[in-house]
């Protein structure tokens, strides 16, 4: 049995007193810094992590084109597949440094086990956060080809198309993760939602592929460095922006699936998780509105990771608990 399920019962008392909250990737805000810090009180709170091979189930909600889907699926495939260094799987090694109370590391094996297309907007084009769980319920109950309800090794990823509005999207969140409620879905499993921001708020949720609107064009951060806007490495600002948010949420779901494992701060209703600590940092020197040292193609496309099929991605760094700093495989020594 998956350790996530084994430890779930011991966590019930924690959840019964916990104020309902959602763990999320915030829209871009300058100010996060790359560099060692003794001030980060990241701690382990004894809950489970995803330490066994994990089945990813993707729900494509709304109308998606094949090009957008291919970008995202190739990123997910890259998590467990070899690619030229620095690779997506190299990036995931930082996430794998986190362990549970038995000393087991987070898994490095993800299987794209199934996908479901909800092109008819079964719950409308305006969704509340809680409605995301109903979208999952519809997918696992769909006829004639439902997604499996994988209570032991499943992780569900709900992706909404550019025309779908989600509660707090583009204002407070670009994506979030949580766990399903048995009263809605039937079991407790980790899940995440991420929205395509290409037409709604690219400057908030797809930076640095679009300029934050509040800057009114080219600008410099407090250190005088230009807040440069780059071309998207796969040609789709919204989908390329989603890749980094998906990576963010996957890292936090794996290290804090039931909101009682790895996070900073004493309040589990408002934790700072391992990707929150590095928002906006993509390379050495990053922070405060500067993405850091990244690669650029001759066409100006920015990337810091290589993936399968020759893909390139730009994905934010993750807090490394050994180095005590944000870190990625494209770091400059």
């Amino acid at each position: 049995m998956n350790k996530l399920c084994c430890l779930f019962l011991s966590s019930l008392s924690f959840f019964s007193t916990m104020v309902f909250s959602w763990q999320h990737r915030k829209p871009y805000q300058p100010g996060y810094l790359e560099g060692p810090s003794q001030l980060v009180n990241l701690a382990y709170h004894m809950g489970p992590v995803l330490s066994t091979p994990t089945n990813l189930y993707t729900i494509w909600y709304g109308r998606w084109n094949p090009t957008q889907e291919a970008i995202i699926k190739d990123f997910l495939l890259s998590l467990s597949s070899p690619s030229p260094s620095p690779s997506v799987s190299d990036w995931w090694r930082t996430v794998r440094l986190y362990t549970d109370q038995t000393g087991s590391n987070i898994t490095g094996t993800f299987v794209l086990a199934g996908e479901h297309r909800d092109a008819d907007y079964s719950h409308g084009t305006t969704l509340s956060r809680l409605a995301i769980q109903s979208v999952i319920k519809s997918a696992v109950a769909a006829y004639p080809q439902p997604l499996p309800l994988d209570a032991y090794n499943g992780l569900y990823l709900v992706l909404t198309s550019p025309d779908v509005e989600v509660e707090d999207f583009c204002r407070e969140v670009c994506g979030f993760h949580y766990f399903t409620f048995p009263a809605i879905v039937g079991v407790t499993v980790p899940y995440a939602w991420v929205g395509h921001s290409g037409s709604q708020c690219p400057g908030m949720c797809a930076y640095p592929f679009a300029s934050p609107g509040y800057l009114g064009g080219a600008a410099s951060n407090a250190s005088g460095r230009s807040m440069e806007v780059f071309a998207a490495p796969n040609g789709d600002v919204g989908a390329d922006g989603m890749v980094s948010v998906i990576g963010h949420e996957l890292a936090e779901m794996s290290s804090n699936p039931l909101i009682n494992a790895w996070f900073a701060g004493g309040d589990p209703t408002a934790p700072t998780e391992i990707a929150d600590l590095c928002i906006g940092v993509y390379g050495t020197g990053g922070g405060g509105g500067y993405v850091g040292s990244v690669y650029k193609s001759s066409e100006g496309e920015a990337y810091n990771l290589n993936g399968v099929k020759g893909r390139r991605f730009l994905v934010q760094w993750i807090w490394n608990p050994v180095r005590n700093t944000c870190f990625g495989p494209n770091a400059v020594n």
Side-chain angles (χ1 to χ4, degrees):
M1 181 179 291
N2 190 309
K3 291 172 184 164
L4 179 62
C5 280
C6 292
L7 293 173
F8 174 65
L9 292 177
S10 66
S11 304
L12 287 179
S13 61
F14 172 86
F15 294 126
S16 66
T17 59
M18 179 176 167
V19 178
F20 184 75
S21 69
W22 305 88
Q23 314 318 309
H24 56 268
R25 194 275 204 186
K26 299 176 182 178
Y28 169 74
Q29 295 175 331
Y32 293 84
L33 295 174
E34 178 260 338
S37 175
Q38 302 302 318
L39 302 178
V40 175
N41 62 338
L42 185 67
Y44 177 55
H45 299 268
M46 303 306 291
V49 302
L50 299 185
S51 59
T52 57
T54 297
N55 295 324
L56 280 173
Y57 299 97
T58 307
I59 300 171
W60 304 95
Y61 190 87
R63 304 288 175 84
W64 288 86
N65 70 51
T67 299
Q68 294 169 337
E69 289 189 16
I71 293 169
I72 293 169
K73 285 194 283 190
D74 286 347
F75 172 71
L76 296 175
L77 284 169
S78 299
L79 290 167
S80 302
S81 302
S83 303
S85 183
S87 67
V88 174
S89 57
D90 291 338
W91 172 83
W92 190 257
R93 288 176 187 169
T94 295
V95 182
R96 296 205 66 207
L97 293 173
Y98 292 88
T99 63
D100 64 15
Q101 59 185 297
T102 70
S104 297
N105 295 83
I106 288 174
T107 184
T109 303
F110 291 93
V111 177
L112 274 60
E115 56 184 348
H116 172 76
R117 288 175 175 79
D118 193 336
D120 293 328
Y121 307 89
S122 63
H123 295 269
T125 58
T126 302
L127 304 174
S128 67
R129 295 198 192 192
L130 191 58
I132 300 299
Q133 296 197 30
S134 297
V135 170
I136 296 173
K137 174 62 177 178
S138 295
V140 300
Y143 180 83
Q145 293 181 314
L147 281 183
L149 186 54
D150 191 343
Y152 297 110
N153 298 299
L155 188 157
Y156 293 80
L157 187 59
V158 179
L159 306 175
T160 51
S161 59
D163 56 339
V164 176
E165 296 182 0
V166 176
E167 180 184 0
D168 295 327
F169 184 34
C170 297
R171 294 176 294 279
E172 296 182 16
V173 298
C174 299
F176 66 76
H177 76 92
Y178 209 61
F179 52 87
T180 60
F181 300 153
I184 297 176
V185 178
V187 296
T188 297
V189 290
Y191 76 95
W193 158 79
V194 178
H196 187 293
S197 65
S199 60
Q200 295 188 50
C201 58
M204 295 298 291
C205 293
Y207 178 82
F209 305 130
S211 178
Y214 58 83
L215 294 178
S220 297
N221 59 20
S223 64
R225 284 170 163 162
S226 173
M227 295 180 67
E228 187 174 358
V229 173
F230 300 102
N234 298 290
D236 189 292
V237 168
D240 276 303
M242 286 182 75
V243 163
S244 188
V245 183
I246 290 169
H248 177 116
E249 299 302 339
L250 286 175
E252 294 184 343
M253 268 197 298
S254 298
S255 58
N256 197 27
L258 298 180
I259 323 302
N260 63 346
W262 286 96
F263 60 87
D267 182 1
T269 68
T272 298
E273 298 174 289
I274 68 171
D276 294 329
L277 292 164
C278 303
I279 291 175
V281 177
Y282 298 83
T284 300
Y290 173 61
V291 300
S293 178
V294 298
Y295 307 112
K296 284 198 295 185
S297 71
S298 58
E299 291 77 28
E301 299 163 338
Y303 65 99
N304 61 358
L305 301 176
N306 295 299
V308 298
K309 305 176 185 177
R311 292 281 193 188
R312 293 169 171 174
F313 303 103
L314 186 67
V315 183
Q316 71 153 88
W317 281 7
I318 300 297
W319 188 262
N320 185 306
V322 177
R323 296 173 180 266
N324 202 32
T325 186
C326 299
F327 185 75
N330 61 307
V332 178
N333 293 330

